[in-house]
Amino acid sequence: MKKITVIGAGNVGATAVQRMAELEMGDLVMLDIVEGIPQGKALDLMQSAPLMEYDSHIRGTNDYNDITGSDVVVITAGVPRKPGMDRKDLLKINSNIIKDVCTNITEYAPDAVVIVVTNPLDPMTYLASRVLDMPDNRVFGMGGMLDSTRFATFVAMELGCSVKDISAMVIGSHDNLMLPLPQYTTVSGIPITELMDEDTIQELVDRTINGGAEIVKYFKNGSAFYAPAASITHMVESVIRDSKRIMPATAYLKGEYGYDGVYAGVPAKIGREGVEDIIDLKLSDKQKELLTKSVVNIQSSIELLELE
Ligand code: LMR
């Protein structure tokens, strides 16, 4: 059995653990600093196993010793935004959490592949990679996967067709400057640009960009967790099964798309080693311009990080 650790036993972390257990992806450790919560949720999930028929073992803990030997560590720990807030507003508070978590991962699970989910996603992934001191390919973030599943959902809703035939692609930052790519978003191989007019596509793009905020507005005191948990599960599965699936991931760029030394959302091949390849897509001039804005925005957040 593979060992998968999720740091943070809030809605995102616990739901991801549930999904991964139900798919028997490995034995799971759910760690949180709050005493009792990970233990209680883990026990509750274990008591679901006879009915849901999974043999994954789930341990809830406050002790980093328990993450030793993890193949994958997912970081969901952090504070969610409230209505009216931008993900960037969480930079300072969540930086401190990421630093502490990554210091512990370095000590207890230095060989793991690490997936960052905490917002603001792109700078937090960069920060994690600096603290972890691991090869950059072993640290990546989950933003574009979530944005792409949202885009796919809205396309299916618009066309009244099965979500199963849709493959969507969103790149750039996991914030208001993300870049949904209609020409690489397909229904059974047919780009959506062949299936709907520009205005309709723009409406779906805008809804995707606001996808997180739309849910924050409903909840008032928290953010989405079912689709984030599904996105985490999809990514972790590709690592532990070494499936080499191609999906949007917040990856470290070394010249791809013309950027160097920054994390941003791009299509990537995900396998046992983490990000095993990055696909450099052909973009229109307008899209290149928008991607530049998106990456510059990430860089400006990175500059605000206190890296010491
Ligand atoms: C999301 O997109 O759901 C997450 O990034 C949480 C948020 O703040 O919107």
Side-chain angles (χ1 to χ4, degrees), residues 179-193:
L179 199 57
L181 298 177
Q183 78 270 41
Y184 295 113
T185 296
T186 60
V187 185
S188 281
I190 308 161
I192 59 166
T193 46

Side-chain angles (χ1 to χ4, degrees), residues 17-25 43-56 58:
V17 169
Q18 178 186 350
R19 289 197 194 284
M20 292 191 280
E22 287 177 358
L23 292 169
E24 293 190 313
M25 280 168 46
L43 186 59
D44 197 6
L45 283 167
M46 286 296 284
Q47 291 165 1
S48 320
L51 298 177
M52 299 308 292
E53 298 186 14
Y54 53 80
D55 277 320
S56 292
I58 305 160

Side-chain angles (χ1 to χ4, degrees), residues 80-81 86-87 90 117 119 121 142 146-147 150 174 178 211-213 215-216 223-225 228:
R81 62 177 164 153
D86 203 78
R87 294 181 182 92
L90 305 170
V117 179
N119 272 321
L121 197 286
M142 177 282 269
L146 171 58
D147 302 321
R150 286 186 173 136
H174 178 58
M178 71 179 71
I215 291 181
V216 168
S223 53
F225 54 99

Side-chain angles (χ1 to χ4, degrees), residues 109-128:
D111 298 325
V113 166
V114 177
I115 305 177
V116 181
V117 179
T118 305
N119 272 321
L121 197 286
D122 312 277
M124 288 303 104
T125 309
Y126 180 91
L127 176 62

Side-chain angles (χ1 to χ4, degrees), residues 34-35 70 112 114 127 167 171 187 189 212 229 253 260:
V34 182
E35 282 177 23
S70 298
V114 177
L127 176 62
S167 172
I171 63 169
V187 185
L253 302 182
D260 203 37

